[in-house]
Amino acid sequence: MASDGTAPWEDVQYLTEDEIKAFLDDLDHNGDGLIDYSEVERKLDSVHEELAPRPLPHNLNHDSRADLDRHAFLRKLVDSDKSRIPRAEFAERVRNWKIPSMKQDKETSIDQRDYLRKLGFFRRIRSYWAVHGPEIAFIALVVSIQLAFGIWQLTKYLTGEYYTRAFGWGVVLAKTCAGALYPTFFFLVLSMSRYFSTFLRRSYYISRFINWDMSQAFHITISCVALTLATLHAIGHLGGSFVWGSRKENEDIVAILLGPDAVPRPYIAYVRSLPGFTGITALGLFYVLSLLSLPQVRKANYELFQCGHLLMYPIIGLLMAHGTAGLLQWPMFGYWLAFPTLLVLTERVIRILLGFRPHRVQATIRVLDKETVLIKGTIPSQRIWQYHAGQYVFLQVPKISLFQWHPFTVSTCVGNEFQLHIKTDGNWTSKLQELGGKEPGSESKIEIGINGPFGAPAQRFYDFNQSIVVGAGIGVTPFSGILVDLQEKDDRDHPGPGPSAEKTDETKHRDTLLSGGSGDHHPSTYAPDYRRVDFHWTVRERNSLLWLSDLLNRVSQSQQWHAEHDEQAHLDIRIHTHVTQKRDKITTHVYRWLLEMHRTPEQPMSPLTGLLNPTHFGRPDFVKILDHHYEEMKFYKAAQVERDPEQMDEELKIGVFFCGTPVVGEILADRCRLLSARGREDGSKIEYHFMMEVFG
């Protein structure tokens, strides 16, 4: 039988006697002490039908398993030709399958919660800050600037000798909100600049503090704040200062502030003035823009959503003109808006120009299945920005719309050749699929506009030769592109497998993938340019793994080929996928593991996930994973010192990149700190650097 698929760090607890008894009870309905083999076979088929996904064209070599093949595999596991097998004999077979216990996953979940509870107060604060701190600090910076300017205006107009006597409470409310609006609109407009966010990502620490990759949530929040402050500002003027300023008994005080030519001035004159007209019009357009930005509108008509955002330009123009009269203080709103507006306007002009024919890119669109299309193209050499896997671009397809630009992650990019995997989940993407053809596998030539690249996730990824990537769900798509990019560059530098590469032994293949591409890890197997990447991908359902199975399998195939043909390991990518969806029935749990083990030399992919690498069911224990990684890094450091004794005094830095649930991030941050301290104590000088990543 093949390996049971457990990883080196796992302290596996196999099925307990109670679990085995429950499994047999489900098969032995009549309680006669005999297990009907046909029932075992029927249950396997039933679970396979429930769990195994339909084969999809974009899942590399992901073919369905024939019933006969699966049944032969089961008969081999049972190791008996009997049609009815004694219960005790069958129980012994089940023990030999070495299937992990269901209780282990529950214990891992409890251990994660207990781990954080047992942390000391300061350790817990440091771990929490490592995950949430930069975001909190940035929000605190924004709020403090808003408060500072708001309080400044509040103090000025509340304590001034004539302001409240001339314009009453309304001027205090309006001007306090105006003070807070200055930085609010500055950050609101700045959050729309993609080039600015890409520039900030050149520095990891700045990009963590000012992280525009989470700009969508920030943009929505600060837009709501801006709309609220603008509304209160209007209420202060329309319901307060305009009313007080138009009263006859206040004319002398108003004349002191605005000049003798400003009185008498009726209420309607205030409304019709430049500040009144521009302010009311801008507020009205702001409300229209907000309504057109509702999720329901965006989903129903994306083009209407985009056109609505064009209102920001007249809004900004009106706001710049709003304070030019300088009635109560010198105009400053225009100065706040000038820099971010110039950035965004330049960016939009460039995007429009790139959509015209001379700048379009010739591309191929291929339909992978009813939900996925692939776009391949070549970036023109005259583009000044270098494209990298994991970044994202804005895509325009003129045959669908000249005005719609949609963001998509670059799946792979080798040289100037790039690929985009696009899931069809809306009107625009459905039309895109129609351009490729109706049937899976069909393709056609199209012209596209490409604006980018933006956002380089894991900007510091290439600063580390040893890395650990931990992510959840589809959010780690950029990292999968980086892995493929690394592998293809390694294949190019150290000739890798060709299309006719022979198939390898199934057991050896699984064991190599479990332990890593470099096989036995003897010091002599490490090349001078050795790079290792541990990729841990956690998903709730196995269907999420299918989305990127072709990309990950390409990496696994190359890793296996190099492990068998290269004397020294140059690139060591270890892919670990964790399916966390719980199964309450012991029967489903057992058969799920059996199906995962059903691999052959002809079809080494898992029938459940379509992946070459083994799938782990249950939550990963990152405490044990990092501890095991530390021990292996000590071994690697010893190999470095053996090759070059001067390496003894050099730090071995490992980057830990995380994108997922905060509780896991806090555990990782704490372990990184502890393992770095251990490296200082034992003299290995191994350092773990925790990097929180957010993808927009």
Side-chain angles (χ1 to χ4, degrees):
M1 188 181 74
S3 166
D4 63 0
T6 56
W9 65 79
E10 292 181 321
D11 183 15
V12 183
Q13 302 174 20
Y14 297 114
L15 291 176
T16 65
E17 290 302 315
D18 289 341
E19 289 174 324
I20 294 175
K21 180 179 181 300
F23 176 61
L24 297 181
D25 288 343
D26 189 64
L27 296 173
D28 185 15
H29 295 297
N30 54 16
D32 62 357
L34 295 173
I35 304 298
D36 193 332
Y37 178 79
S38 62
E39 178 67 11
V40 178
E41 195 173 76
R42 187 190 67 80
K43 290 274 190 179
L44 179 68
D45 291 341
S46 175
V47 174
H48 179 268
E49 182 68 23
E50 175 188 352
L51 297 182
R54 296 180 180 178
L56 301 176
H58 70 283
N59 303 132
L60 188 64
N61 293 329
H62 180 55
D63 300 327
S64 61
R65 300 296 196 270
D67 290 344
L68 291 177
D69 187 24
R70 187 169 60 253
H71 295 165
F73 169 74
L74 179 62
R75 180 63 78 173
K76 182 180 179 181
L77 287 176
V78 173
D79 194 23
S80 174
D81 294 330
K82 301 176 183 177
S83 59
R84 307 193 73 195
I85 306 169
R87 182 176 176 126
E89 181 181 335
F90 194 82
E92 187 61 30
R93 299 287 187 276
V94 174
R95 294 187 189 96
N96 292 336
W97 292 347
K98 296 188 180 301
I99 295 174
S101 170
M102 293 179 66
K103 295 180 179 179
Q104 189 165 11
D105 183 38
K106 297 178 181 178
E107 292 174 357
T108 302
S109 301
I110 295 173
D111 289 344
Q112 285 187 350
R113 294 192 295 268
D114 287 346
Y115 183 91
L116 292 176
R117 291 195 192 102
K118 293 177 181 178
L119 290 182
F121 176 76
F122 290 106
R123 277 179 63 186
R124 181 67 188 271
I125 291 297
R126 290 179 68 180
S127 298
Y128 182 87
W129 185 260
V131 176
H132 304 281
E135 179 183 351
I136 294 173
F138 176 63
I139 297 300
L141 172 66
V142 174
V143 172
S144 63
I145 296 175
Q146 290 174 314
L147 288 174
F149 279 86
I151 293 172
W152 166 53
Q153 293 282 276
L154 172 66
T155 304
K156 175 182 178 179
Y157 288 94
L158 190 61
T159 60
E161 183 179 357
Y162 301 111
Y163 296 119
T164 53
R165 292 170 58 190
F167 297 106
W169 61 268
V171 72
V172 177
L173 174 62
K175 288 301 183 179
T176 300
C177 293
L181 273 171
Y182 299 150
T184 301
F185 263 95
F186 173 82
F187 287 109
L188 169 61
V189 179
L190 193 62
S191 67
M192 299 164 62
S193 175
R194 307 288 179 167
Y195 286 134
F196 185 68
S197 67
T198 302
F199 174 77
L200 289 181
R201 266 204 172 271
R202 294 177 181 272
S203 168
Y204 170 78
Y205 296 103
I206 293 179
S207 66
R208 281 282 286 121
F209 183 65
I210 307 176
N211 192 347
W212 291 134
D213 287 322
M214 50 186 206
S215 59
Q216 184 177 8
F218 175 76
H219 181 76
I220 293 172
T221 302
I222 204 164
S223 295
C224 294
V225 173
L227 187 61
T228 302
L229 291 173
T231 302
L232 291 174
H233 175 80
I235 291 173
H237 278 315
L238 295 174
S241 60
F242 288 2
V243 175
W244 281 63
S246 60
R247 291 176 179 173
K248 189 172 182 58
E249 62 269 22
N250 295 334
E251 287 182 0
D252 292 339
I253 305 299
V254 172
I256 295 174
L257 291 174
L258 303 184
D261 295 336
V263 293
R265 178 178 290 189
Y267 183 91
I268 193 63
Y270 283 102
V271 175
R272 290 175 177 174
S273 66
L274 179 64
F277 170 77
T278 56
I280 294 172
T281 306
L283 182 61
L285 293 177
F286 199 178
Y287 269 100
V288 173
L289 191 158
S290 301
L291 291 174
L292 294 178
S293 301
L294 292 173
Q296 296 84 345
V297 176
R298 176 171 180 163
K299 187 174 182 179
N301 192 324
Y302 188 82
E303 199 158 49
L304 181 61
F305 165 81
Q306 279 201 323
C307 289
H309 270 66
L310 294 178
L311 292 174
M312 70 177 179
Y313 297 110
I315 291 174
I316 291 173
L318 289 167
L319 291 178
M320 287 182 170
H322 181 62
T324 54
L327 297 179
L328 296 177
Q329 66 185 31
W330 62 276
M332 65 175 71
F333 211 171
Y335 294 97
W336 281 93
L337 293 174
F339 173 69
T341 301
L342 181 62
L343 281 178
V344 173
L345 191 59
T346 302
E347 192 172 307
R348 294 302 188 270
V349 170
I350 292 174
R351 186 172 300 168
I352 292 172
L353 293 176
L354 291 174
F356 288 123
R357 185 175 297 276
H359 302 286
R360 292 175 189 167
V361 175
Q362 301 298 320
T364 301
I365 178 172
R366 183 170 42 160
V367 178
L368 301 179
D369 59 73
K370 64 180 182 179
E371 295 183 347
T372 316
V373 297
L374 171 67
I375 291 181
K376 293 183 179 180
T378 303
I379 300 297
S381 57
Q382 62 266 29
R383 296 284 177 96
I384 60 175
W385 294 92
Q386 288 189 345
Y387 288 68
H388 299 286
Q391 295 178 315
Y392 67 94
V393 296
F394 276 88
L395 174 69
Q396 175 220 41
V397 181
K399 285 188 176 180
I400 299 177
S401 172
L402 290 172
F403 305 104
Q404 290 196 41
W405 293 79
H406 295 263
F408 296 104
T409 298
V410 179
S411 302
T412 61
C413 188
V414 180
N416 286 347
E417 304 290 330
F418 72 93
Q419 293 185 11
L420 306 176
H421 285 75
I422 299 174
K423 190 173 183 179
T424 55
D425 58 358
N427 293 332
W428 190 88
T429 50
S430 297
K431 293 177 181 177
L432 182 65
Q433 185 182 42
E434 292 175 4
L435 290 178
K438 295 183 179 180
E439 298 298 327
S442 59
E443 63 178 50
S444 62
K445 301 289 185 181
I446 60 171
E447 281 189 337
I448 59 174
I450 291 288
N451 180 212
F454 301 108
Q459 190 75 37
R460 296 193 66 198
F461 184 84
Y462 293 97
D463 293 345
F464 301 92
N465 282 336
Q466 322 303 327
S467 306
I468 300 175
V469 177
V470 179
I474 202 65
V476 296
T477 303
F479 271 117
S480 66
I482 292 174
L483 294 184
V484 174
D485 192 59
L486 281 174
Q487 188 62 63
E488 293 196 359
K489 289 177 180 176
D490 183 63
D491 291 343
R492 185 178 56 202
D493 296 338
H494 312 97
S500 60
E502 60 183 22
K503 296 183 181 295
T504 56
D505 177 71
E506 174 199 2
T507 303
K508 184 178 180 181
H509 182 80
R510 284 175 61 84
D511 291 343
T512 302
L513 289 174
L514 277 168
S515 62
S518 57
D520 59 8
H521 301 295
H522 188 272
S524 62
T525 66
Y526 299 115
D529 61 347
Y530 176 74
R531 175 191 287 271
R532 170 173 166 176
V533 181
D534 290 67
F535 182 69
H536 291 271
W537 188 15
T538 303
V539 296
R540 179 165 176 76
E541 297 182 358
R542 85 281 178 214
N543 282 338
S544 299
L545 297 169
L546 291 172
W547 171 245
L548 295 173
S549 63
D550 58 339
L551 298 180
L552 297 181
N553 284 344
R554 284 164 61 184
V555 174
S556 296
Q557 286 178 323
S558 288
Q559 283 290 298
Q560 174 63 18
W561 191 93
H562 284 289
E564 295 181 355
H565 293 82
D566 294 349
E567 293 184 1
Q568 292 183 316
H570 298 274
L571 178 64
D572 185 3
I573 298 179
R574 311 185 183 193
I575 300 175
H576 305 281
T577 47
H578 308 268
V579 178
T580 60
Q581 186 179 33
K582 295 181 179 179
R583 296 291 175 180
D584 296 329
K585 293 183 179 179
I586 184 64
T587 306
T588 303
H589 173 76
V590 171
Y591 282 124
R592 178 173 65 172
W593 274 98
L594 294 182
L595 289 169
E596 168 62 21
M597 290 189 291
H598 179 205
R599 302 175 186 232
T600 65
E602 292 75 21
Q603 294 290 351
M605 288 74 63
S606 165
L608 296 182
T609 65
L611 292 170
L612 285 166
N613 60 281
T615 301
H616 310 283
F617 296 102
R619 298 182 183 277
D621 188 337
F622 285 111
V623 174
K624 292 181 179 178
I625 289 173
L626 262 65
D627 286 348
H628 180 79
H629 186 274
Y630 179 84
E631 294 303 319
E632 292 196 332
M633 286 296 98
K634 284 179 64 177
F635 188 84
Y636 170 65
K637 180 65 180 291
Q640 280 189 311
V641 174
E642 182 179 319
R643 180 183 290 115
D644 180 8
E646 293 184 1
Q647 292 291 326
M648 175 66 75
D649 297 325
E650 296 293 328
E651 293 87 2
L652 177 58
K653 297 181 179 181
I654 297 101
V656 180
F657 300 88
F658 173 70
C659 174
T661 56
V663 62
V664 176
E666 292 174 32
I667 293 174
L668 290 173
D670 184 70
R671 296 310 298 176
C672 287
R673 206 160 26 246
L674 291 182
L675 292 177
S676 296
R678 187 185 303 177
R680 291 190 295 271
E681 292 173 0
D682 62 20
S684 63
K685 295 188 177 181
I686 298 174
E687 298 178 359
Y688 284 79
H689 297 262
F690 178 76
M691 306 286 172
M692 184 73 184
E693 294 293 335
V694 181
F695 305 113

